[in-house]
mmCIF file of all heavy atoms in Angstrom:
data_model
loop_
_atom_site.group_PDB
_atom_site.id
_atom_site.type_symbol
_atom_site.label_atom_id
_atom_site.label_comp_id
_atom_site.label_asym_id
_atom_site.label_seq_id
_atom_site.Cartn_x
_atom_site.Cartn_y
_atom_site.Cartn_z
ATOM 1 N N GLY A 8 82.920 107.043 103.333
ATOM 2 C CA GLY A 8 83.654 107.305 104.559
ATOM 3 C C GLY A 8 83.087 106.489 105.709
ATOM 4 O O GLY A 8 82.261 105.600 105.516
ATOM 5 N N SER A 9 83.510 106.804 106.905
ATOM 6 C CA SER A 9 83.132 106.064 108.100
ATOM 7 C C SER A 9 81.742 106.458 108.572
ATOM 8 O O SER A 9 81.462 107.642 108.787
ATOM 9 C CB SER A 9 84.153 106.325 109.209
ATOM 10 O OG SER A 9 83.650 105.952 110.458
ATOM 11 N N SER A 10 80.893 105.462 108.761
ATOM 12 C CA SER A 10 79.569 105.739 109.319
ATOM 13 C C SER A 10 79.698 106.257 110.751
ATOM 14 O O SER A 10 78.902 107.102 111.189
ATOM 15 C CB SER A 10 78.699 104.475 109.283
ATOM 16 O OG SER A 10 79.303 103.427 110.022
ATOM 17 N N LEU A 11 80.698 105.765 111.481
ATOM 18 C CA LEU A 11 80.896 106.212 112.859
ATOM 19 C C LEU A 11 81.247 107.697 112.903
ATOM 20 O O LEU A 11 80.756 108.439 113.760
ATOM 21 C CB LEU A 11 81.991 105.387 113.524
ATOM 22 C CG LEU A 11 82.166 105.584 115.028
ATOM 23 C CD1 LEU A 11 80.904 105.192 115.765
ATOM 24 C CD2 LEU A 11 83.354 104.787 115.537
ATOM 25 N N TYR A 12 82.081 108.146 111.965
ATOM 26 C CA TYR A 12 82.433 109.568 111.903
ATOM 27 C C TYR A 12 81.184 110.416 111.661
ATOM 28 O O TYR A 12 80.990 111.460 112.294
ATOM 29 C CB TYR A 12 83.451 109.799 110.776
ATOM 30 C CG TYR A 12 83.703 111.259 110.466
ATOM 31 C CD1 TYR A 12 84.522 112.027 111.282
ATOM 32 C CD2 TYR A 12 83.123 111.868 109.355
ATOM 33 C CE1 TYR A 12 84.752 113.370 111.004
ATOM 34 C CE2 TYR A 12 83.341 113.204 109.073
ATOM 35 C CZ TYR A 12 84.159 113.952 109.901
ATOM 36 O OH TYR A 12 84.375 115.281 109.630
ATOM 37 N N LEU A 13 80.325 109.966 110.758
ATOM 38 C CA LEU A 13 79.091 110.706 110.478
ATOM 39 C C LEU A 13 78.181 110.732 111.698
ATOM 40 O O LEU A 13 77.570 111.767 112.003
ATOM 41 C CB LEU A 13 78.369 110.085 109.286
ATOM 42 C CG LEU A 13 79.049 110.251 107.922
ATOM 43 C CD1 LEU A 13 78.319 109.444 106.861
ATOM 44 C CD2 LEU A 13 79.115 111.725 107.519
ATOM 45 N N LYS A 14 78.080 109.615 112.388
ATOM 46 C CA LYS A 14 77.220 109.557 113.572
ATOM 47 C C LYS A 14 77.728 110.498 114.659
ATOM 48 O O LYS A 14 76.944 111.189 115.319
ATOM 49 C CB LYS A 14 77.152 108.127 114.096
ATOM 50 C CG LYS A 14 76.362 107.184 113.197
ATOM 51 C CD LYS A 14 76.510 105.740 113.645
ATOM 52 C CE LYS A 14 75.847 104.787 112.666
ATOM 53 N NZ LYS A 14 76.076 103.364 113.032
ATOM 54 N N LYS A 15 79.036 110.513 114.862
ATOM 55 C CA LYS A 15 79.608 111.376 115.891
ATOM 56 C C LYS A 15 79.332 112.847 115.625
ATOM 57 O O LYS A 15 79.267 113.650 116.550
ATOM 58 C CB LYS A 15 81.118 111.143 115.988
ATOM 59 C CG LYS A 15 81.519 109.877 116.711
ATOM 60 C CD LYS A 15 83.020 109.772 116.829
ATOM 61 C CE LYS A 15 83.427 108.559 117.653
ATOM 62 N NZ LYS A 15 84.900 108.439 117.775
ATOM 63 N N ASN A 16 79.166 113.181 114.363
ATOM 64 C CA ASN A 16 78.985 114.582 113.990
ATOM 65 C C ASN A 16 77.592 114.890 113.468
ATOM 66 O O ASN A 16 77.370 115.918 112.833
ATOM 67 C CB ASN A 16 80.041 114.970 112.947
ATOM 68 C CG ASN A 16 81.438 114.957 113.517
ATOM 69 O OD1 ASN A 16 81.825 115.857 114.253
ATOM 70 N ND2 ASN A 16 82.188 113.914 113.217
ATOM 71 N N LYS A 17 76.633 113.998 113.764
ATOM 72 C CA LYS A 17 75.230 114.159 113.383
ATOM 73 C C LYS A 17 75.077 114.381 111.881
ATOM 74 O O LYS A 17 74.215 115.129 111.427
ATOM 75 C CB LYS A 17 74.586 115.304 114.159
ATOM 76 C CG LYS A 17 74.210 114.928 115.582
ATOM 77 C CD LYS A 17 73.275 115.932 116.221
ATOM 78 C CE LYS A 17 72.802 115.409 117.578
ATOM 79 N NZ LYS A 17 71.898 116.376 118.254
ATOM 80 N N GLY A 18 75.923 113.698 111.115
ATOM 81 C CA GLY A 18 75.806 113.760 109.665
ATOM 82 C C GLY A 18 75.282 112.471 109.067
ATOM 83 O O GLY A 18 75.148 112.353 107.854
ATOM 84 N N PHE A 19 74.981 111.497 109.921
ATOM 85 C CA PHE A 19 74.552 110.179 109.450
ATOM 86 C C PHE A 19 73.087 110.199 109.045
ATOM 87 O O PHE A 19 72.234 110.708 109.765
ATOM 88 C CB PHE A 19 74.771 109.144 110.554
ATOM 89 C CG PHE A 19 74.432 107.734 110.153
ATOM 90 C CD1 PHE A 19 75.300 106.997 109.370
ATOM 91 C CD2 PHE A 19 73.251 107.146 110.565
ATOM 92 C CE1 PHE A 19 75.007 105.694 109.009
ATOM 93 C CE2 PHE A 19 72.940 105.846 110.217
ATOM 94 C CZ PHE A 19 73.814 105.112 109.433
ATOM 95 N N ILE A 20 72.793 109.651 107.851
ATOM 96 C CA ILE A 20 71.413 109.512 107.382
ATOM 97 C C ILE A 20 70.992 108.056 107.497
ATOM 98 O O ILE A 20 70.045 107.718 108.188
ATOM 99 C CB ILE A 20 71.277 110.010 105.935
ATOM 100 C CG1 ILE A 20 71.614 111.511 105.849
ATOM 101 C CG2 ILE A 20 69.866 109.744 105.409
ATOM 102 C CD1 ILE A 20 71.631 112.061 104.441
ATOM 103 N N ASP A 21 71.692 107.187 106.788
ATOM 104 C CA ASP A 21 71.478 105.747 106.875
ATOM 105 C C ASP A 21 72.698 105.070 106.257
ATOM 106 O O ASP A 21 73.641 105.730 105.825
ATOM 107 C CB ASP A 21 70.173 105.318 106.170
ATOM 108 C CG ASP A 21 70.103 105.768 104.723
ATOM 109 O OD1 ASP A 21 71.147 105.709 104.017
ATOM 110 O OD2 ASP A 21 69.025 106.181 104.274
ATOM 111 N N ARG A 22 72.665 103.735 106.203
ATOM 112 C CA ARG A 22 73.832 102.991 105.727
ATOM 113 C C ARG A 22 74.056 103.110 104.222
ATOM 114 O O ARG A 22 75.076 102.655 103.709
ATOM 115 C CB ARG A 22 73.693 101.516 106.127
ATOM 116 C CG ARG A 22 73.730 101.293 107.622
ATOM 117 C CD ARG A 22 73.711 99.814 107.975
ATOM 118 N NE ARG A 22 73.650 99.603 109.406
ATOM 119 C CZ ARG A 22 74.692 99.672 110.227
ATOM 120 N NH1 ARG A 22 75.889 99.937 109.733
ATOM 121 N NH2 ARG A 22 74.551 99.465 111.523
ATOM 122 N N HIS A 23 73.096 103.687 103.513
ATOM 123 C CA HIS A 23 73.262 103.882 102.075
ATOM 124 C C HIS A 23 73.973 105.205 101.764
ATOM 125 O O HIS A 23 74.624 105.338 100.727
ATOM 126 C CB HIS A 23 71.904 103.849 101.368
ATOM 127 C CG HIS A 23 71.150 102.580 101.557
ATOM 128 N ND1 HIS A 23 71.552 101.385 100.991
ATOM 129 C CD2 HIS A 23 70.034 102.299 102.274
ATOM 130 C CE1 HIS A 23 70.709 100.431 101.334
ATOM 131 N NE2 HIS A 23 69.794 100.956 102.109
ATOM 132 N N HIS A 24 73.828 106.189 102.641
ATOM 133 C CA HIS A 24 74.409 107.512 102.414
ATOM 134 C C HIS A 24 75.741 107.638 103.143
ATOM 135 O O HIS A 24 75.832 108.222 104.227
ATOM 136 C CB HIS A 24 73.439 108.599 102.879
ATOM 137 C CG HIS A 24 72.227 108.744 102.039
ATOM 138 N ND1 HIS A 24 71.161 107.876 102.121
ATOM 139 C CD2 HIS A 24 71.909 109.662 101.073
ATOM 140 C CE1 HIS A 24 70.232 108.243 101.258
ATOM 141 N NE2 HIS A 24 70.663 109.307 100.600
ATOM 142 N N LEU A 25 76.781 107.061 102.543
ATOM 143 C CA LEU A 25 78.107 107.080 103.156
ATOM 144 C C LEU A 25 79.158 107.765 102.286
ATOM 145 O O LEU A 25 80.330 107.839 102.667
ATOM 146 C CB LEU A 25 78.558 105.646 103.467
ATOM 147 C CG LEU A 25 77.720 104.868 104.488
ATOM 148 C CD1 LEU A 25 78.279 103.454 104.642
ATOM 149 C CD2 LEU A 25 77.695 105.574 105.838
ATOM 150 N N VAL A 26 78.782 108.260 101.120
ATOM 151 C CA VAL A 26 79.744 108.920 100.229
ATOM 152 C C VAL A 26 80.072 110.292 100.788
ATOM 153 O O VAL A 26 79.203 111.169 100.883
ATOM 154 C CB VAL A 26 79.182 109.043 98.800
ATOM 155 C CG1 VAL A 26 80.168 109.815 97.916
ATOM 156 C CG2 VAL A 26 78.910 107.664 98.205
ATOM 157 N N THR A 27 81.337 110.483 101.170
ATOM 158 C CA THR A 27 81.752 111.744 101.796
ATOM 159 C C THR A 27 82.998 112.357 101.148
ATOM 160 O O THR A 27 83.420 113.437 101.548
ATOM 161 C CB THR A 27 82.043 111.529 103.294
ATOM 162 O OG1 THR A 27 82.971 110.442 103.448
ATOM 163 C CG2 THR A 27 80.772 111.198 104.058
ATOM 164 N N TYR A 28 83.595 111.676 100.175
ATOM 165 C CA TYR A 28 84.814 112.169 99.535
ATOM 166 C C TYR A 28 84.632 112.261 98.025
ATOM 167 O O TYR A 28 83.925 111.448 97.421
ATOM 168 C CB TYR A 28 85.999 111.246 99.819
ATOM 169 C CG TYR A 28 86.338 111.098 101.279
ATOM 170 C CD1 TYR A 28 85.893 109.987 102.007
ATOM 171 C CD2 TYR A 28 87.108 112.055 101.939
ATOM 172 C CE1 TYR A 28 86.201 109.838 103.352
ATOM 173 C CE2 TYR A 28 87.420 111.908 103.284
ATOM 174 C CZ TYR A 28 86.963 110.801 103.981
ATOM 175 O OH TYR A 28 87.272 110.664 105.307
ATOM 176 N N CYS A 29 85.294 113.245 97.431
ATOM 177 C CA CYS A 29 85.312 113.371 95.973
ATOM 178 C C CYS A 29 86.721 113.737 95.534
ATOM 179 O O CYS A 29 87.341 114.653 96.093
ATOM 180 C CB CYS A 29 84.331 114.445 95.513
ATOM 181 S SG CYS A 29 84.354 114.756 93.728
ATOM 182 N N THR A 30 87.238 112.997 94.564
ATOM 183 C CA THR A 30 88.555 113.291 93.992
ATOM 184 C C THR A 30 88.385 113.797 92.572
ATOM 185 O O THR A 30 87.750 113.146 91.742
ATOM 186 C CB THR A 30 89.451 112.041 93.980
ATOM 187 O OG1 THR A 30 89.631 111.571 95.316
ATOM 188 C CG2 THR A 30 90.814 112.362 93.371
ATOM 189 N N ILE A 31 88.950 114.960 92.307
ATOM 190 C CA ILE A 31 88.954 115.534 90.957
ATOM 191 C C ILE A 31 90.374 115.367 90.439
ATOM 192 O O ILE A 31 91.277 116.143 90.771
ATOM 193 C CB ILE A 31 88.529 117.017 90.985
ATOM 194 C CG1 ILE A 31 87.153 117.140 91.680
ATOM 195 C CG2 ILE A 31 88.466 117.598 89.583
ATOM 196 C CD1 ILE A 31 86.775 118.554 92.043
ATOM 197 N N PHE A 32 90.569 114.332 89.641
ATOM 198 C CA PHE A 32 91.914 113.947 89.212
ATOM 199 C C PHE A 32 92.353 114.761 87.995
ATOM 200 O O PHE A 32 91.703 114.773 86.953
ATOM 201 C CB PHE A 32 91.937 112.461 88.862
ATOM 202 C CG PHE A 32 93.224 112.013 88.230
ATOM 203 C CD1 PHE A 32 94.400 112.011 88.963
ATOM 204 C CD2 PHE A 32 93.256 111.620 86.896
ATOM 205 C CE1 PHE A 32 95.595 111.604 88.379
ATOM 206 C CE2 PHE A 32 94.438 111.218 86.310
ATOM 207 C CZ PHE A 32 95.616 111.208 87.046
ATOM 208 N N VAL A 33 93.504 115.457 88.163
ATOM 209 C CA VAL A 33 94.048 116.260 87.069
ATOM 210 C C VAL A 33 95.451 115.798 86.695
ATOM 211 O O VAL A 33 95.791 115.693 85.515
ATOM 212 C CB VAL A 33 94.065 117.759 87.447
ATOM 213 C CG1 VAL A 33 94.770 118.592 86.369
ATOM 214 C CG2 VAL A 33 92.638 118.263 87.660
ATOM 215 N N CYS A 34 96.279 115.525 87.707
ATOM 216 C CA CYS A 34 97.659 115.130 87.435
ATOM 217 C C CYS A 34 98.144 114.144 88.496
ATOM 218 O O CYS A 34 97.583 114.058 89.584
ATOM 219 C CB CYS A 34 98.570 116.353 87.407
ATOM 220 S SG CYS A 34 98.626 117.270 88.960
ATOM 221 N N GLU A 35 99.195 113.411 88.173
ATOM 222 C CA GLU A 35 99.749 112.398 89.082
ATOM 223 C C GLU A 35 100.588 113.014 90.197
ATOM 224 O O GLU A 35 100.807 112.394 91.231
ATOM 225 C CB GLU A 35 100.627 111.415 88.289
ATOM 226 C CG GLU A 35 99.876 110.578 87.265
ATOM 227 C CD GLU A 35 99.222 109.354 87.892
ATOM 228 O OE1 GLU A 35 99.324 109.203 89.134
ATOM 229 O OE2 GLU A 35 98.616 108.570 87.155
ATOM 230 N N GLU A 36 101.057 114.225 90.006
ATOM 231 C CA GLU A 36 101.986 114.854 90.938
ATOM 232 C C GLU A 36 101.396 114.951 92.346
ATOM 233 O O GLU A 36 100.368 115.601 92.565
ATOM 234 C CB GLU A 36 102.346 116.259 90.442
ATOM 235 C CG GLU A 36 103.460 116.946 91.211
ATOM 236 C CD GLU A 36 104.833 116.370 90.884
ATOM 237 O OE1 GLU A 36 104.999 115.830 89.784
ATOM 238 O OE2 GLU A 36 105.724 116.476 91.738
ATOM 239 N N GLY A 37 102.033 114.284 93.308
ATOM 240 C CA GLY A 37 101.613 114.387 94.702
ATOM 241 C C GLY A 37 100.302 113.717 95.035
ATOM 242 O O GLY A 37 99.721 114.003 96.089
ATOM 243 N N CYS A 38 99.832 112.832 94.164
ATOM 244 C CA CYS A 38 98.539 112.190 94.403
ATOM 245 C C CYS A 38 98.559 111.371 95.692
ATOM 246 O O CYS A 38 99.546 110.738 96.025
ATOM 247 C CB CYS A 38 98.170 111.273 93.237
ATOM 248 S SG CYS A 38 97.215 112.095 91.954
#
């Protein structure tokens, strides 16, 4: 995700820790 978003919300650690989303894919419907 956005490093700027993390910084604005005091969630930023460093430029390596930017993974903020996870998709659990089950079906194509509405993806």
Side-chain angles (χ1 to χ4, degrees):
S9 163
S10 59
L11 189 61
Y12 170 78
L13 291 173
K14 289 171 186 175
K15 283 183 175 180
N16 293 285
K17 282 194 173 179
F19 183 78
I20 297 175
D21 55 40
R22 294 185 184 280
H23 301 290
H24 290 78
L25 297 178
V26 176
T27 53
Y28 300 99
C29 176
T30 300
I31 305 167
F32 172 67
V33 174
C34 61
E35 295 277 3
E36 189 74 26
C38 269

